[in-house]
Amino acid sequence: GGDGPRTGAPLAGIGKIVCIGLNYHDHARETGAPVPEEPIVFMKAPDTVVGPQDTVLIPRGSRKTDWEVELAVVIGRTSRCLESHEEALAAVAGYAVANDVSERAFQIERGGQWDKGKNCETFNPLGPWLVTADEVPDPQALGLRLWVNGELRQDGTSAEQIFPVAEVVRYLSWFMTLYPGDVINTGTPAGVAMGMAEPKPYLRAGDVMELEIEGLGRQRQVLEPA
């Protein structure tokens, strides 16, 4: 969309995208889910990544396409079995804005794991910037906001994360090797359509999502049918 040149994602050659579900206290409350004892982990294919202003496609047959502003962490060094939060933060190259677009019926009502609702085409706008870790003194002090059609829907802070960035990186390194260029989507604050009263305002073609994280830039996506 827009008249200017297209902005691509700020990262190429992503090996994997690891996502943390239900990682904000306020989001767990709004969805009525218990606070997880350990991080909920699922994967998103790197081919879901698009630029921060690219069109997002509502999948065929979708009734419940939803938005999720998230702090994305980009890994900068190969990491296995990290012992401390200090080591974990030292492994982070930088941070970016991600929109973990989700189809809730596919995710929750169709059996199996969450992957079906998370890997539809265009479901991971990323960017505009990769902000290096030295520019983000405290990843637990960032405001996250998302608007739909100009209406503020999410207005949270990474201070509400159940498992902070350092713990997420440390934890994941015991289950998989983290490589430079891997991305971790660290969860979304309250304000998603799934958490709202009926009729829930799920996304439709023509809707516009705008989202930002303090210091990490802003995204805008128009929704079109796939």
Side-chain angles (χ1 to χ4, degrees):
D3 303 320
R6 173 181 175 268
T7 303
L11 193 63
I14 297 168
K16 58 181 169 289
I17 303 171
V18 190
C19 306
I20 308 299
L22 287 170
N23 197 29
Y24 282 72
H25 289 285
D26 55 3
H27 178 54
R29 283 195 298 272
E30 76 171 343
T31 54
V35 170
E37 290 182 27
E38 295 193 38
I40 293 171
V41 178
F42 63 93
M43 308 289 281
K44 239 176 161 156
D47 60 24
T48 58
V49 171
V50 292
Q53 272 84 43
D54 284 348
T55 299
V56 169
L57 299 174
I58 295 179
R60 291 191 210 186
S62 165
R63 297 175 294 109
K64 297 185 177 181
T65 296
D66 204 349
W67 57 83
E68 293 193 5
V69 59
E70 306 212 359
L71 173 63
V73 174
V74 179
I75 297 298
R77 63 174 71 160
T78 301
S79 302
R80 299 176 180 89
C81 299
L82 299 173
E83 296 283 356
S84 69
H85 286 175
E86 191 177 44
E87 275 185 287
L89 286 178
V92 174
Y95 300 92
V97 184
N99 189 352
D100 177 24
V101 187
S102 305
E103 212 297 346
R104 303 300 189 186
F106 295 1
Q107 177 189 350
I108 295 163
E109 299 168 24
R110 302 292 296 273
Q113 297 178 310
W114 287 6
D115 302 53
K116 286 183 287 195
K118 296 286 190 173
N119 283 279
C120 306
E121 190 175 1
T122 72
F123 265 26
N124 200 18
L126 186 67
W129 305 319
L130 171 55
V131 178
T132 53
D134 61 307
E135 295 282 326
V136 183
D138 184 1
Q140 307 312 134
L142 301 173
L144 301 87
R145 282 172 288 278
L146 183 144
W147 295 260
V148 178
N149 301 330
E151 186 170 347
L152 184 64
R153 291 300 197 183
Q154 292 184 273
D155 186 8
T157 168
S158 59
E160 279 275 300
Q161 287 191 335
I162 296 165
F163 303 103
V165 168
E167 173 57 16
V168 165
V169 174
R170 186 206 65 79
Y171 179 88
L172 289 175
S173 76
W174 289 82
F175 298 94
M176 59 191 81
T177 305
L178 300 173
Y179 293 101
D182 285 352
V183 174
I184 304 169
N185 287 345
T186 60
T188 199
V192 299
M194 183 173 65
M196 293 180 189
E198 297 287 353
K200 301 180 192 294
Y202 287 113
L203 294 162
R204 297 187 172 87
D207 286 348
V208 178
M209 295 182 282
E210 294 170 281
L211 50 151
E212 67 182 17
I213 299 178
E214 211 174 315
L216 302 186
R218 191 174 173 98
Q219 300 186 352
R220 180 181 186 275
Q221 297 105 29
V222 179
L223 287 130
E224 292 181 7

